[in-house]
Amino acid sequence: MAGTSGGRPSIYPTLLYADAKAAIRQLTEAFGFSQLSVYEGEDGSVLHAELVQGNGAVMVGSKGRGGLFDAAMKDAGTTGVYVAVADVDAHHRHAVEQGAEILMPPTDQDYGARDYMARDIEGNIWSFGTYTPEIGG
C-alpha cells in the first residue's frame, strides 16, 4: 500500500488539456511547477507529463489522443486543485506578473490559512495557500 514515506506522494491529480503544452508552460512559468517528465507522441501530443511542486505532483496529458482514460474524461468538466506554498503573497505576485487570471487575491481564511485562487488557460481552478492538514496518526 502506498504511504507518505519515501518522498513519493500517494495522490496525483490528473488533468487533460486541449493544449497540454500551453498548460505545462503556464503551470511552470506562472504557478512555479517544475517538469519532472514529459512524454510526447509522434504527433506532438502530450501522452503523459509529471509536474511537481514541493512534495506533491500532478499528471498532465493531451485530450483526444484515445485510450480508456481519455474516453472516460471526455465529458468531464473543469477541476479544482489545492497546492500548498510557503509564501502565498510572493507566489501570487509571480502568477500576476505572468498574466494568470486571478479569481481571489491572497485572503486570510477563518480556518487559519492564507490562500488565493486562479484559473488556468482551460478553466481549471488552482488554489495556492498555506493549508496543510495533518494526515495519518
Side-chain angles (χ1 to χ4, degrees), residues 18-126:
D19 189 344
K21 288 181 180 178
I24 291 168
R25 272 191 308 279
Q26 183 187 38
L27 292 170
T28 56
E29 293 173 7
F31 298 142
F33 282 82
S34 298
Q35 287 186 29
L36 182 61
S37 62
V38 177
Y39 302 96
E40 294 184 13
E42 290 180 17
D43 62 355
S45 65
V46 176
L47 300 175
H48 176 81
E50 297 168 4
L51 307 177
V52 296
Q53 168 103 210
N55 64 352
V58 295
M59 297 180 185
V60 173
S62 294
K63 287 182 179 178
R65 59 181 173 77
L68 182 59
F69 188 73
D70 186 54
M73 294 289 289
K74 179 180 176 239
D75 294 323
T78 57
T79 191
V81 179
Y82 189 94
V83 180
V85 297
D87 187 335
V88 173
D89 296 285
H91 195 277
H92 171 261
R93 278 191 301 277
H94 182 77
V96 169
E97 290 167 2
Q98 293 295 314
E101 179 185 356
I102 305 300
L103 302 176
M104 180 185 77
T107 303
D108 292 325
Q109 303 299 336
D110 292 340
Y111 48 88
R114 181 168 178 76
D115 50 36
Y116 79 94
M117 191 180 332
R119 185 185 330 266
D120 74 19
I121 59 173
E122 293 192 19
N124 297 295
I125 306 303
W126 292 84

